[in-house]
Amino acid sequence: MSSWISDSTLPWHSILMLRILKCGRIPKHIAFIMDGNRRFAQKSNIEKIEGHSKGFDKLSEVLQWCLEIGVEEVTVYAFSIENFKRSKEEVDGLMDLTREKFNRLLEEKEKMKKHGLRVRVIGNKSLLSNDLAKLAAEAELMTRDNNQSLLNVAFSYTSQDEIANACNIAVQGLIDGRLENEDIDVPFMSKCLYTQDSPFPEIIIRTSGETRLSDFLLWQGCASYLHFTGVLWPELTVTDFLWAIFKYQRVAEEIDVLHKKLLSRDLTSPRQEKFIENVEAERWSTLERTLAAGD
Ligand code: FPP
Ligand code: MG
C-alpha cells in the first residue's frame, strides 16, 4: 500500500529538470483537480475503485515532486459534495479507500514529521460518517506541529459550501456582537474560509481535459494561473508537472503582483483579529471534540 509521500528514486533527467525549474519562481501554493481516474480504469480494464487507488498513488508521487521543488502548500480535490451523488458502490468504495489511506497516514507520523508536512482536511465534515470524521481529525491533530509544508485535502468540499459556511461564521459574530457591519470585508471573509490564513494558490492544475473549475477554490483561485492538461490524473508524469510550472513561471510576476497588492488580505481592525483568532482556536477544539466523541 503506497505511502502519502513517495520515496521512489527519481530518474536523473527528472532530477535535472526539477533543478532547472528551481532557478525560476516556484509557486508557494499549488492546487490540483485530480480528474480522470475512472476513464483511466476503463482504459486499463480495471475496476473504478482501482482507478481511484491509482489516483492516490499518483498523489503520493506529486507530493514528492512538490516537496522536492520547495512548494509550501498543496491543495487536492479528493471528493466533492457533488460526488455523493455517484452510485452507492462507488461512494462506499471511495470512503473505504479514504479510511485505508488515513489509517496509513496515522502510521506515518515520523515520516510526516521528517518532511514537516501538516495535513488539513477542508470541507463540510458534517456530511462524513463519524469514523471518517474522527480519522481526519486524528490526522490533522497528529500533524498539527509540522510546519514546513501543508497538504489540504478537500474532501466533502465545494467552494459554494465553503463560502456559505464563511458567511455563517461572520453572521454569528454579528448576532452575538463580537463584530460590526464594517468588519465584514474581503480580507476578513478570506480568513473565514476553510483555508483560513493560507496564501491563495498561484496555480490550479486540472487533468483529464476538462476545462472547468467544478466549484473548487472559486474565491482563492480568483487570480490563479489555470493549467488544463488532457492527461488522465493517474498518468500524469513529472514532465507534465514541470511543464505546468514552467508555463506558470512565464506569468508568475503578474500573479505575484495581483496576490500581493490587489488582493491584500491584511485585517484592519483588532476586533477582526480577535474574532479570527477565536475561529482558529474553535477549529482545533472542534477537532479535539470530534476525536474524543463516542461513535
Ligand atoms: C476524479 O476522477 C477523482 C475523484 C472523484 C476521486 C479522487 C480521489 C483520489 C485520487 C484518492 C485520494 C484519496 C485521498 C484520501 C486523498 P473521476 O472519478 O471524476 O474520473 P473520470 O473523470 O474519468 O470519470
Ligand atoms: Mg471526472
Side-chain angles (χ1 to χ4, degrees), residues 112 115-120 139-140 143-152 196 280 283-284:
M112 299 299 280
H115 286 279
L117 181 62
R118 181 184 147 204
V119 171
R120 173 169 66 182
E140 288 194 56
T143 58
R144 178 178 184 163
D145 295 326
N146 298 349
N147 56 14
Q148 268 160 269
S149 36
L150 172 61
L151 170 65
N152 298 302
Q196 300 165 295
E280 165 85 352
R283 202 182 161 275
W284 288 115

Side-chain angles (χ1 to χ4, degrees), residues 63-225:
L63 277 179
Q64 182 189 21
W65 306 336
C66 287
L67 296 178
E68 185 70 38
I69 60 169
V71 174
E72 290 168 18
E73 186 157 347
V74 175
T75 301
V76 291
Y77 208 178
F79 192 86
S80 122
I81 293 177
E82 283 300 301
N83 291 152
F84 280 112
K85 294 183 187 151
R86 292 189 177 187
S87 72
K88 182 174 179 330
E89 190 192 355
E90 188 180 350
V91 172
D92 287 350
L94 271 165
M95 294 300 154
D96 284 344
L97 179 69
T98 306
R99 270 185 199 97
E100 180 190 309
K101 298 307 178 190
F102 274 105
N103 275 313
R104 170 76 199 241
L105 179 66
L106 296 177
E107 291 165 12
E108 300 201 299
K109 184 173 180 180
E110 283 316 308
K111 183 170 182 183
M112 299 299 280
K113 198 170 166 184
K114 188 181 109 204
H115 286 279
L117 181 62
R118 181 184 147 204
V119 171
R120 173 169 66 182
V121 180
I122 58 170
N124 188 336
K125 291 169 182 162
S126 70
L127 303 175
L128 298 180
S129 63
N130 286 349
D131 73 311
L132 204 48
K134 258 188 181 189
L135 272 175
E138 201 172 351
E140 288 194 56
L141 290 165
M142 184 188 87
T143 58
R144 178 178 184 163
D145 295 326
N146 298 349
N147 56 14
Q148 268 160 269
S149 36
L150 172 61
L151 170 65
N152 298 302
V153 179
F155 200 90
S156 181
Y157 175 91
T158 61
S159 230
Q160 292 187 18
D161 172 77
E162 178 183 39
I163 294 167
N165 182 65
C167 291
N168 265 311
I169 293 174
V171 166
Q172 201 49 53
L174 289 171
I175 292 174
D176 62 26
R178 285 179 296 153
L179 292 173
E180 301 290 334
N181 282 6
E182 72 245 31
D183 293 326
I184 314 300
D185 56 16
V186 171
F188 174 81
M189 289 309 293
S190 288
K191 295 200 192 316
C192 291
L193 299 172
Y194 294 136
T195 44
Q196 300 165 295
D197 221 9
S198 290
F200 288 167
E202 291 94 329
I203 166 165
I204 299 178
I205 299 175
R206 182 173 190 153
T207 53
S208 94
E210 304 291 347
T211 48
R212 292 174 284 123
L213 282 177
S214 300
D215 216 341
F216 181 57
L217 302 183
L218 299 183
W219 182 295
Q220 300 89 332
C222 57
S224 305
Y225 168 68

Side-chain angles (χ1 to χ4, degrees), residues 13-14 17-18 21 30 32 58 61-62 65 69 203-208 225 227-248:
H13 51 274
S14 299
M17 284 195 292
L18 287 165
L21 206 78
I30 308 186
F32 294 93
K58 185 54 63 181
E61 281 183 65
V62 168
W65 306 336
I69 60 169
I203 166 165
I204 299 178
I205 299 175
R206 182 173 190 153
T207 53
S208 94
Y225 168 68
H227 183 84
F228 299 103
T229 164
V231 177
L232 303 175
W233 173 255
E235 294 181 323
L236 191 79
T237 64
V238 68
T239 314
D240 299 322
F241 170 74
L242 295 177
W243 179 243
I245 308 295
F246 173 71
K247 293 286 290 290
Y248 151 76

